[in-house]
Amino acid sequence: MDSFGNSTTSSSYPPSYSGSGGAAGGGGQPSKEEVLRAANSQMQMAVVMQLLQTASASCFKKCVSKPGTSLDSYETSCIQRCADRYLETWKHVSKVSQAMQQRLSQQ
């Protein structure tokens, strides 16, 4: 599982291809499964990047009233609490979504 509660099928990024499908000698095209795994990994990375961008912008707007050269202790703790809430919410939504997908695939 990753830090957001999602199951992961590959521990490396970017995914590597073994070239098991295709021409003899192992130098062929990636298998359909490998392509789908790579696409899934890239989509997950895009979602995480979007989450971080949204959380950063939202928490900054909420917690920093007067941007300056540094953050005071209130701003720092506010941003930390805000980011923690985003991540906890993301974990919950991911778990619920994953459970729904599993139920649908079992039907």
Side-chain angles (χ1 to χ4, degrees), residues 51-65:
L51 171 70
L52 291 174
Q53 184 178 20
T54 301
S56 295
S58 179
C59 293
F60 185 85
K61 183 176 179 180
K62 176 184 178 210
C63 297
V64 180
S65 58

Side-chain angles (χ1 to χ4, degrees), residues 26-100:
Q29 296 294 319
S31 70
K32 182 178 180 181
E33 182 180 302
E34 290 171 324
V35 172
L36 290 174
R37 194 175 315 132
N40 185 36
S41 179
Q42 289 176 349
M43 287 189 327
Q44 286 179 349
M45 184 60 75
V47 168
V48 169
M49 295 298 288
Q50 182 64 41
L51 171 70
L52 291 174
Q53 184 178 20
T54 301
S56 295
S58 179
C59 293
F60 185 85
K61 183 176 179 180
K62 176 184 178 210
C63 297
V64 180
S65 58
K66 297 178 187 175
T69 58
S70 64
L71 299 173
D72 64 29
S73 61
Y74 169 79
E75 293 168 333
T76 301
S77 63
C78 179
I79 288 172
Q80 183 63 51
R81 285 190 313 271
C82 181
D84 288 345
R85 281 193 305 271
Y86 259 91
L87 292 177
E88 287 302 314
T89 301
W90 175 252
K91 286 179 189 178
H92 179 72
V93 169
S94 293
K95 286 179 184 179
V96 170
S97 174
Q98 197 171 40
M100 289 175 62

